[in-house]
Amino acid sequence: MPSLFVIQGRDQGTRFPLDESPVTIGRGTTNSVQLHDTEVSREHAELHRQDDVFVLRDLSSSNGTFVNGKRVDEYELASGDQLQLGRTLLLYTGITEDRVEDLADKINIVSRASEEDGSRILHTMHQSEGSEILAPLTDETTSPWLARARSNLQIMYRTALAVSHTLDIDQLLARIMDMIFEWVDADRGCIMLKDQETEQLVPKVRRHRRGVQSDERITISKTILDYVVDRSEGVLTSNARDDDRWDAAQSILRMGIREAICVPMQGRYDVVGVIYIDTAITPQRVLQQGSANRFTQEHLKLMIAIAHQAALAVEDTSYYKAMVQAERLAAVGQTIANLSHHIKNILQGVRGGSYLIELGIKYHAKAIHGDKVDQSDAQKAVATMRKGWNIVDKNQERISTLVMDMLTFSKEREPVPEPSDLNAITGDVIELMQSRADDEGIELVFQPALTMPTLMFDPEAMHRAILNIVTNAVDACHERDDGRVEVSTDYVHDERMAFVRVSDNGSGIDK
């Protein structure tokens, strides 16, 4: 089914299925896709289905609608497109065609003895030998161009390995920075990522040349950063005053950076950050080398390629975290629903016990006539209050058990089987629910099995399960004047199976 998946913003991790048309998107509560984003209009955009595609239309929103980084008024979506509304970024997944080609008759695997197989093995090679193509060359006759090409190929191969071995962004960026310092003769460097909320660049990793311990701050020209991010172009600067693209009044003149490379981390659709390296060459070194240039255009191309690989890995990691968060939110929601159900059942038991205590107090007041006490009514009052207190006491124990389960929520509670009486457990549930059923005018009937052996099961878990089902049955009869719930137990000796049956004449559950 087509869907929109929030990968950035306050609703990160939420998936909206597109099972209707039109689909309205906005901040208002009446929208099919409601986004909790103050920069999204109340009625921001809408989706219309046309055959197997969805067409996105902007509804004259205040901040506009963007697809893959470009502002649009109307756009036919393709699977994988990214929608930007305010500060919320959504991933569109379209309709997938279930076309699976049957290749059984297209590929034929023949046996060794088959006449069709006339092939023979000429040479074999282990995977480690294949990787030697990326090793540095030792042949001095090899052309410098080929040597550089093989070296760059080795760098990209190692970069691909680095980004594929971790899902931790900080660890990933640290690896990338370390490898850059192995390959490029830089003195300082850092990686900055865009903050999802503020869109500002935030430093994540800083490095100095190995062997040099320095607390020196890396000062970077905002002119350079803005140019790289806005135009998605890498820059190599040696002397900013000689380049018309830089404003001479900007901070480049003050900082005196001799050489620097700054490249965008261009992802699939947007820039996710920048990588910056620089170097300072002393006048003595310039005189010795006869040149002030340590970085070349080849370094710039290499840095752009590395930054692109790192950006793709950052995006993939962000998507993975969003999916994990969605699963966690779903698990938390299910847990809250289960806890609410258990707490409601316990409260119903407390309410039933309280009702009996209150009834006993009335009996006690009725038994006293001035200085005379009706012993029969007094005994009845005490028995009723004791029965009600026993019910309250049992539910206090259940509250304690539930709290202990919550404290050990990190691991699922293991059942603790013990010899138990299924008739007694079910009868206790009926006793808990009887007062509520009477209040709502519902007839609650219990028919225990005449013969029920002692069974091995977890009595607390069984009590919860039966109580949930009986509660649902009573809820289903709420709107009926002749509501009736029947509960029965049975044991089939031949099959050695016990049954608890709950039936009602309520409204049932919609399919």
Side-chain angles (χ1 to χ4, degrees):
M1 177 183 294
S3 65
L4 289 174
F5 183 69
V6 182
I7 58 178
Q8 178 179 316
R10 290 188 59 187
D11 299 292
Q12 185 181 38
T14 304
R15 185 182 299 277
F16 298 98
L18 305 179
D19 52 3
E20 59 183 26
S21 181
V23 176
T24 58
I25 309 174
R27 197 175 73 250
T29 57
T30 58
N31 289 285
S32 308
V33 176
Q34 183 186 8
L35 300 176
H36 299 85
D37 187 335
T38 56
E39 296 187 12
V40 173
S41 301
R42 292 186 180 275
E43 297 179 356
H44 197 106
E46 64 181 8
L47 291 168
H48 289 267
R49 182 165 181 169
Q50 297 179 1
D51 297 328
D52 289 339
V53 298
F54 275 91
V55 177
L56 174 68
R57 293 193 182 97
D58 181 77
L59 300 178
S60 301
S61 60
S62 300
N63 296 319
T65 301
F66 297 80
V67 177
N68 302 334
K70 297 181 180 179
R71 185 163 184 165
V72 298
D73 293 323
E74 183 172 323
Y75 190 88
E76 183 177 304
L77 296 176
S79 188
D81 284 341
Q82 291 190 358
L83 286 62
Q84 181 85 40
L85 287 76
R87 294 185 177 180
T88 302
L89 186 64
L90 305 99
L91 178 67
Y92 170 73
T93 302
I95 301 173
T96 57
E97 298 182 2
D98 298 330
R99 294 182 183 176
V100 180
E101 184 182 2
D102 186 4
L103 301 178
D105 298 331
K106 304 293 180 63
I107 300 176
N108 185 27
I109 301 177
V110 298
S111 62
R112 294 182 179 179
S114 175
E115 295 181 357
E116 297 181 29
D117 183 17
S119 60
R120 59 191 180 92
I121 297 175
L122 298 178
H123 187 68
T124 63
M125 182 176 293
H126 191 267
Q127 179 183 355
S128 59
E129 296 179 76
S131 300
E132 291 179 1
I133 191 174
L134 302 174
L137 293 175
T138 57
D139 187 357
E140 296 180 357
T141 62
T142 305
S143 70
W145 180 89
L146 180 58
R148 289 196 304 271
R150 290 169 67 99
S151 176
N152 291 341
L153 180 60
Q154 181 191 29
I155 292 172
M156 296 313 301
Y157 174 72
R158 291 183 59 189
T159 302
L161 288 179
V163 302
S164 64
H165 280 73
T166 180
L167 288 173
D168 183 273
I169 291 181
D170 293 333
Q171 186 179 15
L172 166 69
L173 299 181
R175 287 183 180 180
I176 294 295
M177 201 75 251
D178 288 340
M179 287 190 294
I180 289 174
F181 268 64
E182 290 180 17
W183 303 324
V184 182
D185 190 14
D187 294 323
R188 307 179 305 175
C190 67
I191 298 179
M192 294 179 282
L193 296 183
K194 267 188 180 180
D195 184 86
Q196 295 182 353
E197 296 293 332
T198 64
E199 294 292 319
Q200 299 297 314
L201 291 172
V202 179
K204 293 295 184 180
V205 177
R206 184 193 75 151
R207 286 288 186 276
H208 281 265
R209 171 59 51 189
R210 290 174 181 170
V212 178
Q213 298 295 332
S214 173
D215 294 329
E216 177 189 0
R217 297 180 63 184
I218 300 178
T219 306
I220 306 174
S221 167
K222 190 174 185 301
T223 306
I224 294 178
L225 293 178
D226 290 343
Y227 185 93
V228 170
V229 173
D230 294 342
R231 301 200 181 193
S232 190
E233 295 179 2
V235 298
L236 164 61
T237 176
S238 176
N239 186 343
R241 290 172 293 181
D242 296 336
D243 194 328
D244 295 336
R245 289 175 294 182
W246 312 124
D247 184 354
Q250 296 295 329
S251 55
I252 299 176
L253 299 178
R254 300 196 311 269
M255 290 181 291
I257 296 176
R258 294 301 301 268
E259 287 187 355
I261 289 179
C262 186
V263 293
M265 295 176 64
Q266 177 65 55
R268 293 171 178 85
Y269 306 108
D270 196 11
V271 175
V272 302
V274 298
I275 299 179
Y276 174 89
I277 59 174
D278 67 26
T279 184
I281 305 179
T282 62
Q284 293 81 0
R285 197 172 203 177
V286 174
L287 294 175
Q288 292 175 356
Q289 297 180 350
S291 172
N293 296 327
R294 188 185 293 183
F295 295 153
T296 66
Q297 288 194 14
E298 187 171 344
H299 288 117
L300 179 60
K301 292 178 182 179
L302 182 62
M303 289 294 297
I304 290 175
I306 293 173
H308 179 58
Q309 291 294 320
L312 295 178
V314 169
E315 283 186 338
D316 291 341
T317 302
S318 299
Y319 296 158
Y320 173 77
K321 287 186 176 180
M323 293 179 65
V324 170
Q325 183 179 6
E327 293 176 358
R328 287 177 177 172
L329 289 174
V332 168
Q334 184 64 36
T335 301
I336 292 175
N338 291 335
L339 287 175
S340 300
H341 207 62
H342 292 322
I343 293 172
K344 182 184 72 172
N345 292 337
I346 292 173
L347 291 177
Q348 287 175 354
V350 172
R351 181 184 174 190
S354 301
Y355 172 79
L356 291 177
I357 293 174
E358 184 178 355
L359 188 62
I361 293 174
K362 291 180 181 180
Y363 289 157
H364 185 269
K366 184 179 178 181
I368 300 175
H369 302 283
D371 296 335
K372 298 181 179 180
V373 177
D374 188 323
Q375 294 296 330
S376 177
D377 287 344
Q379 291 177 358
K380 181 180 179 181
V382 172
T384 303
M385 285 189 286
R386 182 177 290 113
K387 184 178 181 181
W389 174 250
N390 287 337
I391 294 175
V392 172
D393 189 51
K394 287 180 181 179
N395 282 278
Q396 286 180 340
E397 182 64 28
R398 291 194 175 92
I399 291 175
S400 176
T401 302
L402 182 60
V403 170
M404 293 301 297
D405 287 347
M406 293 171 63
L407 292 176
T408 56
F409 176 66
S410 58
K411 59 181 180 179
E412 187 176 354
R413 179 180 182 272
E414 294 291 336
V416 183
E418 60 183 70
S420 305
D421 187 342
L422 186 59
N423 278 350
I425 296 293
T426 309
D428 187 56
V429 171
I430 300 302
E431 190 176 27
L432 290 176
M433 295 296 300
Q434 191 66 61
S435 60
R436 181 186 168 194
D438 293 342
D439 288 345
E440 298 185 8
I442 299 172
E443 183 181 6
L444 180 58
V445 180
F446 177 41
Q447 297 176 349
L450 297 178
T451 57
M452 176 67 68
T454 300
L455 304 174
M456 289 292 295
F457 59 85
D458 187 331
E460 182 64 31
M462 184 63 69
H463 188 280
R464 289 182 188 177
I466 298 173
L467 185 57
N468 286 340
I469 298 173
V470 174
T471 300
N472 291 339
V474 172
D475 290 340
C477 298
H478 178 69
E479 298 180 356
R480 291 187 64 97
D481 296 332
D482 59 342
R484 178 182 173 85
V485 177
E486 295 183 4
V487 182
S488 63
T489 58
D490 190 18
Y491 184 78
V492 180
H493 292 272
D494 294 340
E495 299 179 7
R496 302 181 65 184
M497 294 184 65
F499 297 89
V500 178
R501 296 183 175 89
V502 180
S503 61
D504 64 78
N505 60 352
S507 57
I509 301 175
D510 295 334
K511 293 183 178 180

